[in-house]
Amino acid sequence: DLFYRLNVLPVPLPPLRDRRDDIPMLCSALISDMNRKHDCRATDIAPAALALLGQHHWPGNVRELRNVIERAVILAGEGTIQ
């Protein structure tokens, strides 16, 4: 019953691997969220690291990206994520 209620207006959303241009914006938003959650002070992500993220296939979509950024923020603690 829930499926049919939610399926009234389907919202097609392509996978992250088809929206690679969204990765920098998503990273910025996720860094802010993870800084608040873990009391860290990461400021941004290095261009080389961002390029690597853009090359990944992202089978886990945005949830996988979120986990990667969360770990990076925790490990960096502050400053630029390398």
Side-chain angles (χ1 to χ4, degrees), residues 29-41 73:
L30 290 168
I31 288 170
S32 295
D33 289 347
M34 294 305 127
N35 276 333
R36 281 191 297 278
K37 181 178 178 181
H38 298 288
D39 195 31
C40 294
R41 292 170 196 68
V73 166

Side-chain angles (χ1 to χ4, degrees), residues 13 16 18 22-23 27 30 32 43 48 69 74 77:
L13 185 63
L16 185 56
D18 294 341
D22 292 349
I23 291 174
C27 285
L30 290 168
S32 295
T43 56
I69 295 300
I74 291 168

Side-chain angles (χ1 to χ4, degrees), residues 6-71:
L6 296 174
N7 199 29
V8 171
L9 181 64
V11 179
L13 185 63
L16 185 56
R17 65 183 161 271
D18 294 341
R19 300 180 292 128
R20 295 188 192 277
D21 293 340
D22 292 349
I23 291 174
M25 181 251 338
L26 289 169
C27 285
S28 179
L30 290 168
I31 288 170
S32 295
D33 289 347
M34 294 305 127
N35 276 333
R36 281 191 297 278
K37 181 178 178 181
H38 298 288
D39 195 31
C40 294
R41 292 170 196 68
T43 56
D44 59 349
I45 188 162
L50 198 54
L52 288 172
L53 293 176
Q55 294 173 6
H56 187 63
H57 184 64
W58 298 111
N61 283 313
V62 176
R63 180 171 290 165
E64 182 182 4
L65 177 62
R66 181 190 180 281
N67 291 339
V68 167
I69 295 300
E70 185 168 13
R71 183 169 191 238

